Amino acid sequence: MYPKPTTESVFVSERGARLTQWTVRYTFNRLSRRIGLRGPADRRGPRLHDFRHRVAVTTLLRWYRAGVDVERHLPALSTYLGHGHVADTYWYLSAVPELLRLAAARLEARGGRS
């Protein structure tokens, strides 16, 4: 039987306590070695933070391709990522050529109006 959680956190330890960032990183590193994302002696490799970037970019690409009003939905994505301000989410979105192309095409279709 699982213990009653001692926190309102979504992810909890076997004891019911909130997971610390160190525990999560350690576990991720071990699992990434086990499944081959990084070699046994690699000091660098994929980071959990990389998945946040991937989720943000993939979501926006999907929205642009589907014709969704990205500007209207961006606050929801920011909240999902845990950002306090939409501007904090923009950092994840720069330097992705396909995303920038889709955004530029949408702007052109509006006659340059945002």
Side-chain angles (χ1 to χ4, degrees):
M1 188 59 100
Y2 295 101
K4 181 176 177 160
T6 59
T7 178
E8 293 182 4
S9 297
V10 174
F11 299 106
V12 296
S13 70
E14 295 166 340
R15 295 186 178 124
R18 179 181 169 271
L19 294 178
T20 67
Q21 66 175 320
W22 306 112
T23 300
V24 173
R25 284 182 187 173
Y26 174 77
T27 302
F28 177 77
N29 288 340
R30 282 185 54 215
L31 289 172
S32 65
R33 281 189 174 88
R34 189 176 294 170
I35 65 172
L37 288 177
R38 64 173 76 203
D42 290 350
R43 296 184 66 104
R44 295 181 185 254
R47 303 164 303 154
L48 279 171
H49 201 76
D50 298 330
F51 287 104
R52 291 170 55 93
H53 174 80
R54 181 71 178 178
V55 165
V57 170
T58 302
T59 299
L60 283 176
L61 286 171
R62 189 174 63 249
W63 286 349
Y64 272 111
R65 290 174 186 147
V68 170
D69 183 350
V70 174
E71 293 80 14
R72 191 172 129 213
H73 287 82
L74 196 54
L77 178 61
S78 293
T79 300
Y80 180 77
L81 292 171
H83 296 153
H85 305 283
V86 173
D88 297 335
T89 305
Y90 293 138
W91 185 86
Y92 286 84
L93 311 177
S94 61
V96 178
E98 183 182 3
L99 184 56
L100 296 175
R101 260 192 319 276
L102 289 168
R106 178 150 319 166
L107 186 61
E108 278 183 28
R110 293 180 181 173
R113 297 179 313 274
S114 53

